[in-house]
Amino acid sequence: MQKNPAECTTMADVRVEIDRLDRALMTLLAERWGYIDRAAEIKRPLKLKADIPARVAEVRENARRHASELGLDPDFYEGIWAQLIDHAIAHERSLLGEANQ
């Protein structure tokens, strides 16, 4: 049975909920990765590069804004998103044959 933080009375309760959320986050990241693959498929015939700086800036700003709106540290979460973006761009470059660029 899922509990909110206030309903957790033991560290075991807290750990169960953190593990549940970690799994949910991984599921969402896996879903996001599917869109990264699809982006590369769409970019190929359009001859678009993996790295589109305006979009990178937009995604990073979205991460900052969402973090701030949720009371989270925008610098920290933008940093996490920067790593996600860098990893996605490297993957797209590989799929698009840009790996050596």
Side-chain angles (χ1 to χ4, degrees), residues 29-93:
L29 289 169
E31 180 180 353
R32 186 182 195 282
W33 198 253
Y35 290 101
I36 300 303
D37 284 340
R38 185 63 180 136
E41 292 171 0
I42 291 170
K43 287 177 178 180
R44 183 184 317 283
L46 298 174
K47 303 206 183 318
L48 294 173
K49 296 284 187 185
D51 186 0
I52 299 174
R55 177 60 180 155
V56 169
E58 179 183 16
V59 173
R60 288 180 70 149
E61 183 52 39
N62 287 343
R64 289 189 68 79
R65 187 180 69 258
H66 296 316
S68 291
E69 289 169 355
L70 294 167
L72 300 171
D73 178 351
D75 293 333
F76 177 77
Y77 289 95
E78 181 187 3
I80 290 174
W81 254 251
Q83 289 183 20
L84 287 171
I85 293 164
D86 289 348
H87 190 60
I89 289 171
H91 180 67
E92 281 189 35
R93 281 185 173 144

Side-chain angles (χ1 to χ4, degrees), residues 1-46:
M1 177 183 209
Q2 182 176 324
K3 296 180 180 183
N4 70 42
E7 294 170 329
C8 293
T9 58
T10 67
M11 283 306 300
D13 289 346
V14 170
R15 290 176 181 139
V16 164
E17 296 308 319
I18 287 173
D19 291 348
R20 176 185 61 77
L21 288 169
D22 286 350
R23 174 67 183 183
L25 288 168
M26 286 297 174
T27 299
L28 290 171
L29 289 169
E31 180 180 353
R32 186 182 195 282
W33 198 253
Y35 290 101
I36 300 303
D37 284 340
R38 185 63 180 136
E41 292 171 0
I42 291 170
K43 287 177 178 180
R44 183 184 317 283
L46 298 174

